[in-house]
Amino acid sequence: MAQYQTLLYYCYSPIEHAEQFAENHLAFCKSLNLVGRIIVADEGLNGTVSGTPESCKTYMEHLHADERFQKTEFKIDEVEEPSFIKMHCRYKPEIVHSGLRDPKIINPNIQTGKHLEPQEFLEMKDQEDVIILDVRSNYEHNVGRFKNAVTLDIENFREFPEKIKDLEQYKGKKILTYCTGGIKCEKASALLLKEGFEDVYQLHGGIIKYGKEAGGEDFEGECYVFDNRVSVPVNAVNPSIVSTCKNCGKTTAKMINCANPVCNEHFTQCDDCGWELDGCCSVDCKSNPRKREYDGTGYYVKIPQPVNEDKISKRKHKKLVKN
């Protein structure tokens, strides 16, 4: 039995005094010895936390006891070791960076695509009038995606709005959106509806829930996750690997960051090339004097930066003036 759990969740629910909430919530998570990454915004929460089953249970009960987060759905993974090294809980303008911050224009609590449970998505995805749309970034869908999915050439989800014009050919069809855990689809599907797409759906709980409840059927490759694991298998029905090593072209699901911090490219690399290039994407990066030590994982802990109290104070002042 695994000694730890990793929880993936989000909740669109307005939070008053969200910056103070983030500070208090960080202290609470640390009191439970949890590690992870949580984003707090005025619009809600987006988090992945990891710890013992007891700590995770207490954390989930704590959130569900709060009226604002009663409907939060947790995706639970059993893991051999915590999926993070430290605990971060930060206030940001959005819980997923989209550039769509005005709730009068896009508000997942008012309008999104129709939610499909994993089994419903499985039964619907191969219909003739259906388009499966991956709303994630390149590095995510390169390591794994649904069979026959339409993917977008984007480096970050904030580029999604400008790519909608490339989807005009699919108007009139059923659009099934999906992402890792569902959070990006909330805004992506809402924006598609706003732009005139009439029949829009989203995979409830994302790829992770689909793997747990529908066996991950026809998801090719692995699912990128935002923690130490980097990617996880989800398909227990007809698994495959679709990503290839950047350096030699061999099939591999392993994704790393270049050991040269100046480059820091996120890419797939097989173990053989990893050791040969010492965790770098190229010979040039391998010779960089700032190159980090490669331990075979290609995962590097970010060095925490000092808190900019002046910046926080200015932001709080702007909010007070606005209100």
Side-chain angles (χ1 to χ4, degrees), residues 106-137:
I106 298 294
N107 187 340
N109 290 311
I110 296 176
Q111 184 184 46
T112 63
K114 303 164 193 169
H115 286 63
L116 293 176
E117 293 303 320
Q119 194 61 40
E120 294 175 309
F121 184 92
L122 174 62
E123 294 168 0
M124 190 173 174
K125 68 181 182 60
D126 293 325
Q127 294 177 11
E128 190 174 337
D129 60 343
V130 162
I131 298 296
I132 305 172
L133 177 62
D134 192 320
V135 304
R136 301 171 303 154
S137 305

Side-chain angles (χ1 to χ4, degrees), residues 9-25:
Y9 71 94
Y10 72 88
C11 181
Y12 281 100
S13 181
I15 302 175
E16 288 188 16
H17 312 299
E19 287 190 71
Q20 184 61 53
F21 177 91
E23 185 179 324
N24 296 343
H25 200 64

Side-chain angles (χ1 to χ4, degrees), residues 20 104 142 196 205 217 225:
Q20 184 61 53
K104 295 177 183 176
N142 282 344
E217 184 174 344
V225 291

Side-chain angles (χ1 to χ4, degrees), residues 265-282:
E265 182 181 349
H266 210 37
F267 66 103
T268 45
Q269 185 182 63
C270 69
D271 283 327
D272 289 342
C273 290
W275 290 114
E276 182 179 342
L277 291 168
D278 211 14
C280 293
C281 67
S282 66

Side-chain angles (χ1 to χ4, degrees), residues 45-285:
L45 297 174
N46 174 17
T48 308
V49 297
S50 194
T52 64
E54 294 78 17
S55 292
C56 288
K57 181 175 183 290
T58 300
Y59 182 77
M60 289 186 285
E61 289 174 347
H62 176 78
L63 275 193
H64 284 153
D66 189 315
E67 184 178 26
R68 296 167 294 183
F69 314 125
Q70 282 180 348
K71 297 181 180 179
T72 302
E73 183 174 297
F74 291 91
K75 273 75 76 176
I76 306 172
D77 278 345
E78 306 294 330
V79 293
E80 295 301 322
E81 58 184 26
S83 300
F84 294 86
I85 295 174
K86 297 183 179 181
M87 186 68 232
H88 297 284
C89 184
R90 297 189 174 99
Y91 172 81
K92 293 190 177 182
E94 297 178 90
I95 55 176
V96 60
H97 190 3
S98 67
L100 306 171
R101 301 179 187 177
D102 189 346
K104 295 177 183 176
I105 299 175
I106 298 294
N107 187 340
N109 290 311
I110 296 176
Q111 184 184 46
T112 63
K114 303 164 193 169
H115 286 63
L116 293 176
E117 293 303 320
Q119 194 61 40
E120 294 175 309
F121 184 92
L122 174 62
E123 294 168 0
M124 190 173 174
K125 68 181 182 60
D126 293 325
Q127 294 177 11
E128 190 174 337
D129 60 343
V130 162
I131 298 296
I132 305 172
L133 177 62
D134 192 320
V135 304
R136 301 171 303 154
S137 305
N138 290 334
Y139 62 87
E140 296 174 85
H141 62 66
N142 282 344
V143 78
R145 55 195 174 270
F146 275 104
K147 181 180 179 181
N148 300 322
V150 172
T151 58
L152 302 173
D153 182 15
I154 57 177
E155 296 300 323
N156 191 288
F157 184 59
R158 64 175 174 267
E159 298 172 26
F160 177 79
E162 66 187 48
K163 288 292 182 179
I164 288 186
K165 61 182 182 297
D166 298 337
L167 303 173
E168 287 289 322
Q169 59 187 304
Y170 303 124
K171 278 189 173 177
K173 292 185 177 291
K174 296 174 183 175
I175 309 295
L176 274 57
T177 66
Y178 74 89
C179 60
T180 307
I183 186 171
K184 292 177 180 176
C185 290
E186 299 283 7
K187 287 192 175 182
S189 64
L191 187 59
L192 287 167
L193 289 167
K194 181 178 179 295
E195 294 298 323
F197 292 80
E198 296 180 354
D199 216 356
V200 181
Y201 302 79
Q202 64 185 81
L203 175 56
H204 182 216
I207 301 162
I208 299 299
K209 185 176 181 181
Y210 182 83
K212 295 179 183 302
E213 297 186 9
E217 184 174 344
D218 288 339
F219 186 83
E220 301 176 326
E222 295 194 353
C223 178
Y224 183 91
V225 291
F226 297 86
D227 58 57
N228 293 17
R229 296 172 296 170
V230 185
S231 67
V232 296
V234 296
N235 190 335
V237 180
N238 52 352
S240 62
I241 299 176
V242 294
S243 51
T244 57
C245 175
K246 171 186 172 72
N247 304 106
C248 72
K250 185 168 76 175
T251 301
T252 179
K254 185 177 181 179
M255 180 167 275
I256 71 168
N257 282 88
C258 180
N260 173 12
V262 179
C263 170
N264 209 41
E265 182 181 349
H266 210 37
F267 66 103
T268 45
Q269 185 182 63
C270 69
D271 283 327
D272 289 342
C273 290
W275 290 114
E276 182 179 342
L277 291 168
D278 211 14
C280 293
C281 67
S282 66
V283 174
D284 286 343
C285 280

